[in-house]
Amino acid sequence: MAKKKVFITYKIPEAGINLLRKNGFSVEVYSKENLITRQELIRNVKDADALISLLTDKIDREIIDKMERCRIIANYAVGFNNIDIDYARNKGIIVTNTPDVLTDSTADLTMTLVLACARRLNEGERIMRQKQFKGWRPELLLGYELKDKIFGIIGMGRIGLAVARRAFAFGCRIIYYSNNKNSEAEKLFNAKKVSLKTLMKSSDIISLHIPLNNKTKTLINSDYLNLMKKTAIFINTARGEVIDENHLISLLKKKKIFAAGFDVYKNEPDINPELVKLDNVVLLPHIGSATVEARSAMAKLAAKNVIAVLTGKKPITPVN
């Protein structure tokens, strides 16, 4: 009897691949450095029993229709907006993601961006690399301390809660906007649930932690962005499409807010060239989960979902 085939659209950490092979599956990994093309994806999914995909792989109706044997699409990400999950469900294909395991890595990176913006680290590092440092000055690169600042979290889920824990340790006061009340955040960190308008107006630091869907696309529009303080810091480690990126750029250009930190972008991997020109931004290449621990755990979770479904068990983290 032929082994069931698992196709992976890009090389993931060996922990996941080895787990699949130890459980008797035939694993094929797209081996080129570039991201898989649509044509190559179609060719490889035809006889696959399971697909492990990246957030950059668009798994739409056409791709799903080519999956003659596939029973599970295991997305190697927390997000799954790259997959038509409703159509997959109609075709009897389970879709899973990798939540929980990248919570701490993303929360750590969020605070990295907050600190980099607050203390103008990119500007300072550039001065040193370009040998422009002329010695200590009383007002050289003045930034802001975090103590007693109002830290606004949009989306108080797993990652939002982890960010709240870190911000609270820095002495910040936590407010949040979320669909549901988070009793744990309120008990542990004295967090206060507020309206989105209140959060945007009151916060010294604003951090986004919401998924991308029809309800959240451009949720943070120009009207909300215009409410921010001139001293505000805006951080996005969620998805580029949940904000009006062009309007945020215009505010940064006019110094209407202090700074912004980005790990995600509207047209990723393309970046708005206007962002690169700005001194008051910190730009990272979508590395929120880029730790050895998180990426290995993601690989193992994706593999465990595949193993469960292909052996007739329930998936661990289904999204559809």
Side-chain angles (χ1 to χ4, degrees):
M1 185 176 176
K3 292 182 177 180
K4 290 179 180 177
K5 173 185 168 181
V6 180
F7 179 68
I8 306 175
T9 64
Y10 199 85
K11 188 180 183 303
I12 63 174
E14 290 293 331
I17 297 171
N18 291 339
L19 189 59
L20 289 165
R21 286 179 174 150
K22 285 178 182 177
N23 279 269
F25 296 105
S26 171
V27 181
E28 294 184 18
V29 183
Y30 183 71
S31 58
K32 297 179 183 178
E33 274 300 310
N34 59 283
L35 296 175
I36 193 168
T37 65
R38 190 172 182 83
Q39 292 72 26
E40 289 169 322
L41 180 57
I42 289 173
R43 185 170 64 250
N44 282 282
V45 298
K46 282 187 175 182
D47 63 342
D49 296 283
L51 173 69
I52 296 181
S53 55
L54 304 187
L55 195 62
T56 48
D57 302 321
K58 187 173 178 60
I59 314 296
D60 55 18
R61 291 187 173 211
E62 183 187 9
I63 299 293
I64 292 170
D65 280 337
K66 300 296 182 182
M67 297 178 174
E68 298 172 2
R69 292 165 38 182
C70 189
R71 293 173 56 193
I72 174 173
I73 301 168
N75 217 36
Y76 184 75
V78 170
F80 44 86
N81 53 286
N82 58 310
I83 303 170
D84 189 332
I85 60 171
D86 293 329
Y87 193 67
R89 179 174 56 241
N90 292 339
K91 288 285 186 173
I93 300 172
I94 291 168
V95 178
T96 64
N97 65 341
T98 59
D100 298 332
V101 294
L102 47 71
T103 297
D104 286 322
S105 60
T106 305
D108 285 350
L109 191 83
T110 297
M111 293 308 297
T112 301
L113 283 170
V114 170
L115 289 165
C117 288
R119 298 303 298 272
R120 302 171 67 176
L121 296 192
N122 60 333
E123 296 174 75
E125 212 236 1
R126 185 161 55 251
I127 286 172
M128 298 306 294
R129 287 185 181 276
Q130 295 174 356
K131 298 181 180 179
Q132 295 176 349
F133 180 47
K134 305 300 181 184
W136 187 89
R137 298 288 188 274
E139 295 188 341
L140 175 65
L141 294 179
L142 293 184
Y144 290 97
E145 297 177 6
L146 300 192
K147 187 175 183 292
D148 294 328
K149 296 299 186 293
I150 298 174
F151 199 114
I153 296 174
I154 300 176
M156 190 60 87
R158 298 181 189 93
I159 296 174
L161 184 65
V163 171
R165 181 175 291 109
R166 288 155 174 78
F168 186 74
F170 275 95
C172 295
R173 291 178 285 160
I174 311 297
I175 62 175
Y176 72 98
Y177 168 78
S178 196
N179 288 334
N180 302 306
K181 178 181 177 179
N182 192 308
S183 298
E184 187 176 359
E186 295 187 6
K187 180 181 177 181
L188 294 176
F189 315 123
N190 199 28
K192 182 180 178 183
K193 189 174 186 291
V194 298
S195 68
L196 184 55
K197 182 178 179 180
T198 297
L199 185 145
M200 297 298 291
K201 285 178 64 176
S202 306
S203 299
D204 299 297
I205 301 155
I206 298 166
S207 190
L208 277 174
H209 302 287
I210 52 177
L212 174 62
N213 54 45
N214 291 333
K215 291 181 180 179
T216 62
K217 190 171 184 180
T218 323
L219 172 66
I220 314 302
N221 57 31
S222 59
D223 290 337
Y224 285 121
L225 291 170
N226 287 339
L227 297 173
M228 288 189 290
K229 298 177 180 180
K230 190 174 181 180
T231 53
I233 294 170
F234 188 91
I235 305 294
N236 189 6
T237 58
R239 289 289 178 267
E241 293 86 353
V242 300
I243 65 169
D244 183 340
E245 189 177 89
N246 288 330
H247 191 72
L248 180 58
I249 290 170
S250 72
L251 294 177
L252 289 160
K253 279 183 177 180
K254 297 170 186 174
K255 308 291 185 184
K256 292 289 185 72
I257 65 171
F258 183 70
F262 296 81
D263 189 44
V264 291
Y265 307 88
K266 184 179 179 181
N267 297 308
E268 216 172 294
D270 296 325
I271 181 173
N272 190 316
E274 294 304 309
L275 275 174
V276 181
K277 300 175 185 177
L278 296 171
D279 286 330
N280 55 344
V281 299
V282 179
L283 307 173
L284 296 177
H286 202 151
I287 56 171
S289 64
T291 63
V292 171
E293 296 90 345
R295 292 284 169 88
S296 293
M298 288 167 66
K300 287 191 281 189
L301 181 53
K304 287 176 181 178
N305 273 304
V306 168
I307 293 165
V309 171
L310 294 187
T311 56
K313 299 171 185 174
K314 289 183 178 180
I316 301 165
T317 54
V319 296
N320 70 337

